[in-house]
Amino acid sequence: MSGYITSRVLSALAIICFALAAADFFRERHGAFAIEQTPLFYCLFGFAVYIAVIFIARGLRRLTLRPEDYYGAEATDQEDERVAGTEEARNA
């Protein structure tokens, strides 16, 4: 059932996107620059920026990624294996 709903939603989204893209050919444009008057300019520009953000994020990830053991064995985010509410957890 979930796959059916997902495919219906994606199909509806695709139809809406194509309808809006087609409508762009029939409206009058008043852009500040000549390139803005090209049909589908904002669609293509948005897609190009989307792709650029992905590649920029991949590059930034390489700059900020740290090894898994960056903070060492004494990191404070290690999980406590004791079960909450047990005697062992209360005595700690």
Side-chain angles (χ1 to χ4, degrees), residues 64-80:
T64 60
L65 188 65
R66 300 287 181 252
E68 192 171 327
D69 61 346
Y70 179 75
Y71 291 104
E74 300 299 321
T76 59
D77 66 340
Q78 292 186 6
E79 293 187 25
D80 190 1

Side-chain angles (χ1 to χ4, degrees), residues 26-91:
F26 300 107
R27 68 180 191 92
E28 188 176 347
R29 290 170 198 80
H30 301 285
F33 300 99
I35 189 77
E36 292 180 78
Q37 297 185 18
T38 306
L40 300 178
F41 168 74
Y42 289 108
C43 174
L44 297 174
F45 180 74
F47 185 72
V49 170
Y50 167 73
I51 296 298
V53 166
I54 289 173
F55 284 111
I56 290 170
R58 288 179 70 189
L60 287 175
R61 182 178 183 269
R62 289 191 179 120
L63 288 174
T64 60
L65 188 65
R66 300 287 181 252
E68 192 171 327
D69 61 346
Y70 179 75
Y71 291 104
E74 300 299 321
T76 59
D77 66 340
Q78 292 186 6
E79 293 187 25
D80 190 1
E81 297 296 327
R82 297 173 291 187
V83 179
T86 61
E87 189 68 32
E88 181 185 348
R90 278 187 238 132
N91 292 336

